[in-house]
Amino acid sequence: MLLATQVRSRTAKGIAAEIGRLITSGELDVATRLPAIRALADELEVSPTTVQHAYQALAQSGLVIAQGKRGTVVRGAAESTRPPRYAASDKELMPLWDLTSGTPDPALLPDVGAALMSLAAQDTAILTSGYMEQPVLPDLEWELRRRWPFEPGAITVVDGALDAIDRLFRLTLRVGDRVLVENPTFPPVLDMIERAGAEIIGLPLDEHGIVPGSLRDALEMRPSLLVLQPRAQNPSGVSMTHERAEDLAAVLTGSSVLIIEDDHAGGITSASQVSLGSYLPDRVIRILSFSKAFGPDLRLAAVGGAADTIVRLDNARALGPGWSSRLLQHVLLYLLTDERALAQLANARAVYAHRRRSMVEALRREGFQIVGEDGINIWVPVANENEARIRLAMRDAGIAVALGSSFLSAPLPSEFIRITCSAISEGFTELAGAIAAAALPPRARTSRPAHPR
Ligand SMILES: Cc1ncc(COP(=O)(O)O)c(C=O)c1O
C-alpha cells in the first residue's frame, strides 16, 4: 500500500491520526515499516519536521516503535510491550547465585517500619489532604537542597530516577535528536531514547568518567542531550573525578547541550558528590534516586537544577498524577534525618564497598582487568558473553549474570558480563574462579598468575 495516497491531512496531528486509523483497522499490518520521514514528507509535500512529529505522536501512543536507524515499524497490539533490553535480560533459570539484579541487598536497607510508624503520630487529615499544595514537602525540599552538590534553580520529587528520565526525555526529545550517553550505560535509558526516535551516540569511559576528547568530537554532531551517571556508573562502577568534571564542563561550555546527571546510587556510593552543575548550573538537571539506599519500592527520586526544565516537568505532570505521594515523602524525610536510619545507611555503604572490593580483588587474582571502584555492579570482560552466561548458568550451583551487550550502544573491544555483588557476603574466591573458568579467553587463563585457592 502506498501510504501517502491514504493520507489527506497535511498537519502532524492529522497525519498521525490517519496513519493511526490505518493501523488500528488492520490496513497496515504489524511489522510494516513506515516510509522514511523525508520520503513521506516529499510525497505529502510537507516539511520533514511535520512527519517527524506525526511519527513521534504515533510512537508515544504505542502504535509504532522507532527502531533508530532501522526506521519506524508498526507494532502489534498483542506484541510484548516489555522494553527490548528488559526482555533480553529475562531469565529462564532459577540460579543459586543471581548476580543479575542490580538491586541492593534487602538485609542492608534501613528500617522503613520505624519510618512508617512515625506517620501514625501525625494528623492524617493533614497528611492526606489537598490537591493544591506544593509538589514537594517544604522540609524535604530543605533537606534535599542542603545535600545538592550545586545551587539548584528548582527541585522536585518524582517516582524514581527512571521516572525522572522518562519525563525529561518526553519534555525535551524530538525524533531525530541526538543523545550522548556513556558506553556502556543502563539499558532502559537506551530503550527510552530509541522509543523517542532519537539517535544514541555512545561515549567511551575511562576510570575517571567520560573521555573529554570523545565528548569534544561528538559535539560536532550537535546533540541536544547528554545523559551521564556521576557516581558508581552502572554497569562499570566508575565515578567521575573533580578534575574530569571540570574538563568536561570546559568542553561543554560553548554548546547548548542539556545535561542529565543520574545519581542512581546516591547514599550507598563511596565517591564524593561531583557534578557538572558546579560549572553549568543552568544546563544541568541532577537526579538523586533513593532506591539503592532505602529500597526500590520507596519509588522516590529528587530532581534538581535548571529551573525552566523542572518547572516544565511539574507543569506537565499536573495533567496526570500531579505529584509524588507526600506520605512517601514523609517516609523519605524521616529516613534522611533519623540518626538510626542514617547509621544503617552508613553501615550499608561500608558493607557494599567491602563486598565490591573483595569481589574485584578475587577477579583480579584470576587475571580479569576490572575498572571502576564504586557501587554494587562489576563490569567483567569475557571472551564471549553468551558462552559465559550459559556456562555459568549450567554449573551445579547455577550463576546468573547479565549480558554486557544490553548495556552497549556501540561495540567495545571486548565482550562483557555484568555482575551485581550487593548480596555476595562470602565465597568471593570460589565465585571468581567459576567466572574465570567460564569466561576468560584461553590465553588470559593460561597467563594468569597461579595462586592458592
Ligand atoms: C543508572 C540507573 N538509573 C536509574 C535506575 C533506576 O532508579 P529508580 O529505581 O530510582 O527508578 C537504575 C536502577 O538500577 C540505574 O542503575
Side-chain angles (χ1 to χ4, degrees):
M1 177 177 65
L2 195 54
L3 187 64
T5 61
Q6 310 281 313
V7 174
R8 286 197 173 68
S9 173
R10 294 295 179 263
T11 66
K13 241 186 189 171
I15 295 169
E18 287 183 53
I19 298 178
R21 280 194 287 274
L22 292 172
I23 293 172
T24 44
S25 68
E27 283 171 79
L28 271 180
D29 286 333
V30 170
T32 304
R33 200 166 296 283
L34 297 187
I37 288 175
R38 191 165 287 281
L40 185 58
D42 286 349
E43 296 261 12
L44 298 179
E45 296 179 349
V46 297
S47 79
T49 321
T50 304
V51 177
Q52 253 182 23
H53 287 162
Y55 280 13
Q56 193 175 24
L58 287 165
Q60 276 174 2
S61 66
L63 287 173
V64 302
I65 180 156
Q67 297 185 326
K69 290 199 176 101
R70 292 184 296 273
T72 301
V73 174
V74 176
R75 199 168 170 160
E79 198 179 315
S80 166
T81 48
R82 197 155 164 72
R85 288 176 181 81
Y86 267 122
S89 68
D90 285 348
K91 34 191 160 7
E92 326 74 48
L93 301 162
M94 278 303 287
L96 191 66
W97 289 96
D98 184 354
L99 310 184
T100 63
S101 71
T103 48
D105 181 352
L108 291 176
L109 296 175
D111 182 5
V112 175
L116 292 171
M117 290 299 286
S118 77
L119 289 178
Q122 303 201 30
D123 183 345
T124 45
I126 293 176
L127 277 181
T128 56
S129 70
Y131 278 83
M132 302 316 292
E133 276 126 62
Q134 290 301 310
V136 186
L137 292 178
D139 289 354
L140 177 60
E141 177 164 349
W142 190 82
E143 280 298 330
L144 293 170
R145 282 185 176 274
R146 225 162 58 78
R147 289 171 163 75
W148 224 249
F150 60 99
E151 182 73 43
I155 215 157
T156 194
V157 170
V158 296
D159 302 344
L162 218 43
D163 183 42
I165 296 172
D166 179 35
R167 289 176 189 283
L168 290 167
F169 281 0
R170 285 178 195 275
L171 277 182
T172 59
L173 274 188
R174 298 286 168 266
V175 174
D177 281 357
R178 297 193 170 105
V179 184
L180 307 176
V181 297
E182 296 147 322
N183 188 33
T185 195
F186 185 45
V189 169
L190 301 175
D191 283 339
M192 283 178 173
I193 298 171
E194 282 179 1
R195 181 194 59 190
E199 194 182 320
I200 301 167
I201 302 174
L203 303 176
L205 288 169
D206 65 16
E207 68 272 34
H208 305 305
I210 291 173
V211 178
S214 71
L215 176 62
R216 191 173 303 115
D217 293 346
L219 288 182
E220 293 189 2
M221 300 180 76
R222 301 191 159 276
S224 57
L225 268 184
L226 164 63
V227 187
L228 66 89
Q229 300 171 42
R231 298 193 280 186
Q233 203 263 355
N234 178 10
S236 68
V238 166
S239 293
M240 181 165 64
T241 57
H242 284 285
E243 296 73 22
R244 183 56 57 88
E246 197 174 346
D247 290 349
L248 294 176
V251 173
L252 286 161
T253 299
S255 77
S256 59
V257 175
L258 184 70
I259 301 140
I260 298 178
E261 288 184 344
D262 174 14
D263 190 12
H264 72 106
I268 62 156
T269 58
S270 306
S272 58
Q273 295 226 62
V274 172
S275 175
L276 296 178
S278 307
Y279 309 92
L280 304 164
D282 300 337
R283 298 240 307 277
V284 174
I285 310 276
R286 189 173 175 100
I287 302 163
L288 172 58
S289 168
F290 299 100
S291 292
K292 307 292 182 326
F294 302 139
D297 197 59
L298 186 61
R299 280 299 79 214
L300 290 181
V303 191
D308 49 345
T309 308
I310 289 176
V311 169
R312 279 174 64 210
L313 187 158
D314 270 335
N315 288 343
R317 197 161 53 147
L319 288 180
W323 69 94
S324 294
S325 164
R326 292 188 200 98
L327 278 176
L328 291 180
Q329 292 188 38
H330 275 287
V331 173
L332 175 59
L333 179 59
Y334 179 97
L335 293 169
L336 287 174
T337 49
D338 177 65
E339 274 184 19
R340 187 156 163 269
L342 289 173
Q344 287 171 326
L345 184 58
N347 174 59
R349 190 161 47 239
V351 173
Y352 288 133
H354 169 73
R355 289 180 181 174
R356 191 179 192 283
R357 209 170 32 246
S358 304
M359 194 64 229
V360 166
E361 279 166 10
L363 286 165
R364 286 187 178 143
R365 284 197 299 274
E366 291 289 348
F368 286 101
Q369 294 194 358
I370 308 286
V371 290
E373 303 291 333
D374 208 356
I376 55 176
N377 298 305
I378 307 176
W379 186 232
V380 184
V382 297
N384 179 305
E385 60 167 18
N386 281 308
E387 208 176 286
R389 186 165 88 133
I390 291 166
R391 285 213 205 140
L392 285 165
M394 284 171 48
R395 288 180 61 89
D396 291 347
I399 301 170
V401 297
L403 292 177
S405 53
S406 304
F407 297 79
L408 298 184
S409 50
L412 291 175
S414 146
E415 296 194 9
F416 287 84
I417 53 174
R418 187 202 69 172
I419 63 173
T420 300
C421 55
S422 54
I424 307 173
S425 55
E426 54 186 13
F428 299 102
T429 304
E430 292 72 20
L431 209 47
I435 293 171
L440 276 181
R443 198 158 31 88
R445 222 177 302 159
T446 50
S447 66
R448 76 168 188 260
H451 66 84
R453 286 274 167 91

